[in-house]
Amino acid sequence: MSTDPARPFGRVLTAMITPLAEDGSIDLAGAQQLAAHLVERGGSDGLVVFGTTGESPTISDAEQHAVLEAVLDAVGDRATVVAGVGTNDTAHSIEKARSAERLGVDGLLVVTPYYNNPPQAGLLRHFTSIADSTDLPVMLYDIPPRSVVPIEVETLVRAAEHPRIVAVKDAKADMGAIAWTLARTDLAYYSGEDMLTLPILALGGVGVVSVVSHVVGPRLAEMISAVESGDLDTARSINQSLLPVYTGIFRTQGVILTKAALNELGLPAGPVRPPLVDATPEQIAQLRADLAAGGVQL
């Protein structure tokens, strides 16, 4: 766990993919190898396990338990490990949160309930019920492109009154809402959209939960350090150099091309699970060009 109260989960957290074997089964050894790589050489001081990029909708609870256990065994003493436990079922989310706490994770990522289309009062009850269920700090995940319902500023202000709701992963891209929330709460803001990390840092964000950190984590850490030291010219320069990477990884679903990149680099990844589909040769060729333009050679 981070020792900085202003940055409760670290500053560069990789939203880690879930390595799979070719037959689609979980690759536990690969998960440990990838986690160690990201922490030791990949610039990550934290990992989010079973966020969107971890393919959580198609990984069973038992499989998630096994992967969390493996990752904690590999890097739990060297990095913050945050478990994605949010679902669109409050009772199920509480069950997952308690299971993750028993394993020894450092925190919980709780996404806005998807598909149900709850009102703001429902969101607040969902978040606080999960936060009440364990002693772990909670990062809310605001991602209306997937959940439809945004977490409104007033709801975030109310949620921030809970002692264990301490952070937000923002993929809402509403800079005004971020500014107002930061002005009215002590919530730590983490960018949840790689392209917007620099502007969120400029507003007062403390870090990123990143997908592209699978391949450019040290450069993200350098960019955050530059912002903190007031060297915005350097931060802008790093950000501009990373634009082709941001674009390239998200030309299709981010998990697909992240796994393609890792497979090309010889790191554990494997295939994706349906309904996702693996990258085509044409997509991989485009990815190679995009990453090369951003300084990453596959």
Side-chain angles (χ1 to χ4, degrees):
M1 174 60 66
S2 169
T3 57
D4 182 353
R7 186 180 285 114
F9 299 104
R11 62 180 187 171
V12 177
L13 289 86
T14 295
M16 198 178 95
I17 60 105
T18 302
L20 301 178
E22 288 306 313
D23 65 359
S25 62
I26 299 290
D27 179 5
L28 290 178
Q32 291 190 311
Q33 181 186 341
L34 180 61
H37 167 80
L38 292 170
V39 172
E40 293 168 3
R41 296 179 294 282
S44 294
D45 55 358
L47 301 174
V48 172
V49 184
F50 295 116
T52 305
T53 310
E55 297 180 81
S56 55
T58 54
I59 310 288
S60 72
D61 286 1
E63 289 172 324
Q64 292 189 29
H65 185 282
V67 172
L68 280 168
E69 193 169 39
V71 169
L72 284 164
D73 184 59
V75 300
D77 59 340
R78 294 176 286 161
T80 303
V81 177
V82 179
V85 300
T87 72
N88 62 345
D89 175 350
T90 304
H92 185 201
S93 301
I94 288 171
E95 179 184 334
K96 288 168 67 73
R98 289 173 173 164
S99 174
E101 181 181 41
R102 288 191 294 269
L103 283 174
V105 303
D106 298 299
L108 305 173
L109 179 72
V110 179
V111 70
T112 310
Y114 38 86
Y115 188 75
N116 314 56
N117 202 20
Q120 293 296 306
L123 295 187
L124 185 62
R125 180 179 294 181
H126 178 80
F127 295 142
T128 56
S129 295
I130 296 167
D132 283 340
S133 72
T134 80
D135 291 325
L136 294 172
V138 171
M139 179 190 295
L140 304 183
Y141 186 8
D142 192 3
I143 182 166
R146 291 181 181 272
S147 66
V148 179
V149 181
I151 312 175
E152 294 178 1
V153 173
E154 292 299 327
T155 304
L156 287 165
V157 171
R158 291 282 306 281
E161 296 171 1
H162 196 290
R164 286 185 291 281
I165 296 177
V166 299
V168 177
K169 176 185 176 184
D170 184 273
K172 184 164 58 182
D174 183 338
M175 295 298 162
I178 293 172
W180 270 113
T181 306
L182 286 169
R184 297 180 61 192
T185 74
D186 292 325
L187 291 169
Y189 255 78
Y190 289 82
S191 171
E193 188 168 342
D194 281 299
M195 186 69 81
L196 297 181
T197 297
L198 180 56
I200 288 174
L201 291 171
L203 284 174
V206 300
V208 61
V209 179
S210 174
V211 177
V212 303
S213 58
H214 281 92
V215 293
V216 292
R219 290 161 69 187
L220 293 176
E222 185 182 357
M223 183 173 72
I224 294 170
S225 293
V227 173
E228 291 174 342
S229 67
D231 187 356
L232 294 184
D233 286 341
T234 295
R236 282 192 292 267
S237 176
I238 295 168
N239 188 63
Q240 289 172 7
S241 76
L242 289 172
L243 291 175
V245 181
Y246 301 153
T247 296
I249 288 289
F250 291 102
R251 285 190 185 273
T252 185
Q253 216 277 358
V255 179
I256 293 172
L257 291 179
T258 301
K259 282 196 164 184
L262 293 173
N263 284 325
E264 292 290 304
L265 290 167
L267 290 165
V272 295
R273 278 189 175 173
L276 299 182
V277 292
D278 292 323
T280 65
E282 293 77 14
Q283 288 172 328
I284 293 172
Q286 179 65 62
L287 178 65
R288 284 177 170 274
D290 289 330
L291 294 189
V296 179
Q297 298 295 328
L298 297 185

